Amino acid sequence: MLQTAENGLSDDVVTVIEAPRQSDLMIELIKRLKPQVVVTGIAHFEAVTSSAFVQLLDATREIGSRLFLDISDHFELSSLPGTIGVLKYLSGTPLPSHAAIVCGLVKNQVYSDLEVAFVISEEEAILKALSKTVEILEGNTSLISQYYYGCIFHELLSFQLTDRHPHLERRSEKLSVEVIGFATSAISVLSNAELSISDDGYPLVRMDVDQWFLPVPSPVKAAIFESFARQNMTESEIDVTPCIKQFVQTEYGFPTDSGTEFIFSDCSQALFSKLVLCCIQEGGTMCFPAGSNGNYVSVAKFLKANTVHIPTNSERGFKLTEDILIKVLETMKKPWVYISGPTINPTGLLYSNQEMENILSACARFGARVVIDTSFSGLEFEYEGWGGWNLGSCLSKISSSGNPSFCVSLLGGLSLKLLTGALKFAFLALNEPILIEAFHSFPGLSKPHCTDKYTIKKLLSLREQKGGLLDVAMEQIRILENRAKCLKEVTFSPLHPEVLENCGWDVLRPCAGVSMVAKPSFLGKAVKVNHSLKHTGSGEQDATYEIKLTDASLREAVAKTTGLCINSGSWTGIPGYCRFTIALEESEFEQALACLVKFKSIVDN
């Protein structure tokens, strides 16, 4: 990718020029166009030595251009690896700050459908930004990929390379000139998005992540083990489409026919980011109810989509309502409406079937494209009292009278529903031909490995049987319900009698899921915190500064005084209301309660 530095383009405009891979032609083009960013590979006949790479480094350094070099075609995991000039260069010389190496591990003979990629850079700012970017757009790398490649690299690196140089013996790099920084929009999102937090080596209690940390049930462990033990699995054994189709029909009444396409990925964020790109391509606007998943809002902002927040109110539990939705849609063209349901993340409340029918009727009236995110559903505390969904019935009532551009896409994840913990699996059901075509025009989707598909298919089959997995799920749901009660009521443990309400929080009690929200009564007060988390709880006060507690600063204040990570009102989209996830290990949950008590004492003092 090349963007000219002399054409006066604004921060939001990028000009892309396809360029040759042969180094002498590429260098000539670089010198003439003076691009700000160069993304390229290297020809096979030039990959053995480092001379072509050095020439690219020098050419881009001279004009102040960033260089991203892809060596995927030359990196083969083998006990007899070939010579790669780029890596030979790195063994003796630090990588200049303006350059980074990109590599996708695509040459893999054991698990040919298991892919992961890495970036080599020695500039801390680049590494931090890229890690946050991946966290926003793709979610966490599959644990299967992490462990598999971790083992492979450990075995390969156990052999000593004859020409390795200790880090201190590597020759110093030539000074780089000033290069293009990050776009203002990207800096804004990465700075404000509540993603990974630097722990400085201090153990944190994470109540800010959508992950399952309760014990993984035995049937799930057995299915995962079986997926790895099996060999030569047939296509029918890993074809999850029929069972996912049956799942969405049974759980949500979502209509599927021959025109419905199911797309799978490791993480629902990866699927959602592609939907946002479809919205941008169509010239649409993403509409988020106030009280939506903050990660998805960050995705839309990072990709520079047009976004609108739809107001919600406390009297209705911050749910999206038909009357407010109509007022917003009346003023918009090509709206895309995001809805988290049946279980709403972050509040943990539920949309009834009638509420959903009213919302969809309003969307159909104005031809909105609706994205229903079911990723956080399936853990309802009182399912019988709620009643479930029948989207097919709702859609059949409004299909004839709705605007033809109206459509509903169903986004979902199964890690919560099937209690699979770290094993991630996400799906997207599309039934609009234009959207299907647009979705597939964007490359780079991480797909689940065949072992994941086998496990998911096995667990969905077990879930249809009485007892077993369903009984275990009910036990886990009761644990979550009791934790939600204990955070609201003083009934949990004599060791921690003071929980959220006694610690100055106004709690909105959830009905399902793994998260809940609460509003602190102490916003506006000030507390002293340490600059580094290493001093959290140590009593050291020599490096402190004062923070006034606001929506924007509360997360930092709680983390740096107690080690507890929560999501602030900036993340939830509900002013003043923070989010707490409750699917923690038992000891972690106890620590979280202790942290809440500790923070109250800090505020009081």
Side-chain angles (χ1 to χ4, degrees), residues 189-500:
V189 173
L190 295 180
S191 299
N192 296 322
E194 296 181 359
L195 302 170
S196 56
I197 186 170
S198 177
D199 59 9
D200 296 325
Y202 183 85
L204 299 173
V205 182
R206 303 305 300 264
M207 295 188 85
D208 62 338
V209 291
D210 294 312
Q211 293 189 31
W212 183 268
F213 294 108
L214 292 177
V216 176
S218 296
V220 177
K221 292 180 181 179
I224 294 174
F225 179 80
E226 183 180 338
S227 72
F228 279 94
R230 285 292 309 275
Q231 294 183 357
N232 301 319
M233 288 184 285
T234 64
E235 283 297 321
S236 62
E237 290 179 300
I238 60 174
D239 182 9
V240 294
T241 301
C243 56
I244 295 293
K245 181 180 292 188
Q246 180 62 44
F247 170 78
V248 299
Q249 289 174 341
T250 302
E251 292 295 316
Y252 312 115
F254 186 75
T256 60
D257 53 31
S258 59
T260 303
E261 180 164 347
F262 284 85
I263 304 163
F264 308 112
S265 181
D266 290 328
C267 184
S268 57
Q269 278 173 255
L271 295 169
F272 182 73
S273 65
K274 297 294 186 294
L275 285 174
V276 173
L277 292 176
C278 293
C279 172
I280 294 172
Q281 187 180 78
E282 196 175 69
T285 299
M286 292 295 304
C287 305
F288 294 96
S292 296
N293 186 307
N295 291 340
Y296 288 164
V297 177
S298 294
V299 168
K301 290 182 177 179
F302 184 82
L303 294 174
K304 294 190 285 190
N306 294 323
T307 59
V308 167
H309 280 244
I310 305 174
T312 57
N313 56 65
S314 58
E315 291 77 15
R316 300 293 297 273
F318 303 107
K319 290 183 179 181
L320 180 61
T321 56
E322 181 184 16
D323 53 343
I324 296 177
L325 178 60
I326 289 174
K327 291 179 181 178
V328 172
L329 295 182
E330 283 176 338
T331 64
M332 298 181 58
K333 294 181 179 180
K334 297 183 179 179
W336 286 56
V337 179
Y338 170 84
I339 302 170
S340 177
T343 300
I344 305 169
N345 184 0
T347 62
L349 298 185
L350 291 165
Y351 283 116
S352 68
N353 192 66
Q354 185 59 53
E355 287 174 326
M356 201 62 217
E357 183 176 332
N358 295 340
I359 291 171
L360 291 178
S361 296
C363 291
R365 176 179 166 186
F366 296 96
R369 300 201 185 279
V370 182
V371 178
I372 300 179
D373 181 13
T374 66
S375 305
F376 310 97
S377 303
L379 299 172
E380 296 80 21
F381 301 160
E382 300 293 340
Y383 184 87
E384 296 300 328
W386 166 54
W389 273 8
N390 187 350
L391 292 176
S393 175
C394 296
L395 293 173
S396 64
K397 293 179 182 179
I398 61 180
S399 59
S400 58
S401 58
N403 188 303
S405 64
F406 167 73
C407 69
V408 177
S409 303
L410 196 71
L411 177 66
L414 296 177
S415 61
L416 294 183
K417 190 75 173 179
L418 300 179
L419 313 179
T420 57
L423 179 63
K424 304 294 183 183
F425 187 91
F427 64 87
L428 173 65
L430 297 174
N431 51 25
E432 172 58 53
I434 296 177
L435 281 187
I436 295 173
E437 182 180 356
F439 190 95
H440 287 299
S441 68
F442 301 108
L445 185 66
S446 58
K447 298 180 180 179
H449 186 248
C450 62
T451 52
D452 291 348
K453 295 179 181 178
Y454 183 92
T455 302
I456 292 300
K457 186 170 183 178
K458 182 82 173 180
L459 292 175
L460 285 173
S461 176
L462 288 174
R463 196 174 171 278
E464 296 297 320
Q465 304 171 15
K466 291 185 177 180
L469 193 59
L470 281 177
D471 288 346
V472 174
M474 289 306 301
E475 293 175 7
Q476 304 281 40
I477 289 172
R478 293 286 81 82
I479 292 174
L480 295 174
E481 184 179 15
N482 289 334
R483 288 183 175 182
K485 288 180 180 178
C486 89
L487 277 172
K488 178 174 173 59
E489 302 168 2
V490 190
T491 59
F492 180 65
S493 166
L495 297 176
H496 303 294
E498 297 176 286
V499 283
L500 277 177

Side-chain angles (χ1 to χ4, degrees), residues 205 207 482-503 505 516 558 562 564 566 580-582 584-601:
V205 182
M207 295 188 85
N482 289 334
R483 288 183 175 182
K485 288 180 180 178
C486 89
L487 277 172
K488 178 174 173 59
E489 302 168 2
V490 190
T491 59
F492 180 65
S493 166
L495 297 176
H496 303 294
E498 297 176 286
V499 283
L500 277 177
E501 289 198 335
N502 274 24
C503 291
W505 297 78
M516 58 191 295
V558 174
T562 68
L564 175 65
I566 61 175
F580 304 79
T581 57
I582 56 179
L584 307 177
E585 294 179 357
E586 187 66 32
S587 60
E588 289 276 300
F589 188 67
E590 286 278 355
Q591 289 180 49
L593 295 178
C595 290
L596 290 169
V597 175
K598 178 182 177 181
F599 190 70
K600 172 178 168 53
S601 66

Side-chain angles (χ1 to χ4, degrees), residues 53 67-69 71 86 90 95 99-103 118-121:
F53 177 53
L67 172 66
F68 292 90
L69 183 71
I71 62 170
V86 173
L90 293 179
L95 189 63
I101 308 301
V102 182
C103 183
F118 63 83
V119 173
I120 302 174
S121 173

Side-chain angles (χ1 to χ4, degrees), residues 543-565:
T544 62
Y545 62 100
E546 191 171 85
I547 289 183
K548 185 177 181 179
L549 298 179
T550 64
D551 263 2
S553 66
L554 186 62
R555 170 180 163 88
E556 178 187 3
V558 174
K560 288 195 172 182
T561 55
T562 68
L564 175 65
C565 295

Side-chain angles (χ1 to χ4, degrees), residues 21-50:
R21 179 171 292 194
Q22 192 170 322
S23 63
D24 57 343
L25 298 177
M26 173 63 87
I27 290 169
E28 183 68 21
L29 196 62
I30 290 172
K31 290 180 177 179
R32 289 180 180 274
L33 294 181
K34 294 181 172 56
Q36 292 176 312
V37 180
V38 177
V39 181
T40 185
I42 196 166
H44 281 280
F45 70 91
E46 296 178 311
V48 179
T49 67
S50 59

